[in-house]
Amino acid sequence: MKALSIRQPWAWLIVMGFKDIENRKWPTRFRGPFLIHAGKTFDLQGYEWVISNMGLALPSPSSFDRGGIVGLAELVECLTQHDSPWFSGPYGFVLRSAKPLPFIPLPGQLGFFDVEEPVL
């Protein structure tokens, strides 16, 4: 199955159903379900932006799982414009049916990468 590394807190926001767009600098033709991999680095500036601009109460930065699979979502479209408050572009991967999964430690990679079934 394909997976995509996303820094926290963005990965958490996706799997918890808050964030419906994943912004990237590159487009993709991939469509379908994929695993959400939480990268090891934490976007503190993004965390503070979410609290200030989206009015969400987030867990403390130290409580986010990092360095492994945290959920599943379906990529349904790749756009250059979208009405979602989460869209900042230049490309937005439109997501649906996101859900959390039990944490599975796993090294990440750039772009979409394959995760073997025995890992899951």
Side-chain angles (χ1 to χ4, degrees):
M1 178 170 234
K2 295 289 186 193
L4 183 66
S5 286
I6 301 171
R7 290 189 298 167
Q8 291 287 29
W10 309 112
W12 183 88
L13 289 160
I14 290 169
V15 302
M16 298 308 287
F18 294 109
K19 188 172 184 269
D20 58 353
I21 298 280
E22 171 58 16
N23 297 289
R24 293 289 159 148
K25 294 180 181 177
W26 45 273
T28 185
R29 290 185 177 165
F30 174 80
R31 302 293 183 274
F34 69 100
L35 296 166
I36 306 289
H37 176 274
K40 287 188 176 184
T41 61
F42 189 85
D43 184 356
L44 187 57
Q45 185 177 13
Y47 176 88
E48 293 169 352
W49 181 89
V50 169
I51 292 170
S52 297
N53 294 285
M54 302 307 261
L56 296 174
L58 299 178
S60 68
S62 64
S63 67
F64 286 88
D65 287 325
R66 298 185 216 176
I69 302 299
V70 295
L72 178 71
E74 182 181 3
L75 194 159
V76 296
E77 204 165 353
C78 178
L79 303 171
T80 57
Q81 295 181 14
H82 199 279
D83 292 339
S84 171
W86 299 103
F87 180 81
S88 62
Y91 297 96
F93 298 174
V94 180
L95 309 175
R96 73 173 174 208
S97 304
K99 65 179 185 178
L101 293 175
F103 181 72
I104 301 169
L106 184 76
Q109 297 179 35
L110 295 176
F112 284 99
F113 62 97
D114 292 315
V115 174
E116 299 298 324
E117 290 297 323
V119 171
L120 303 174

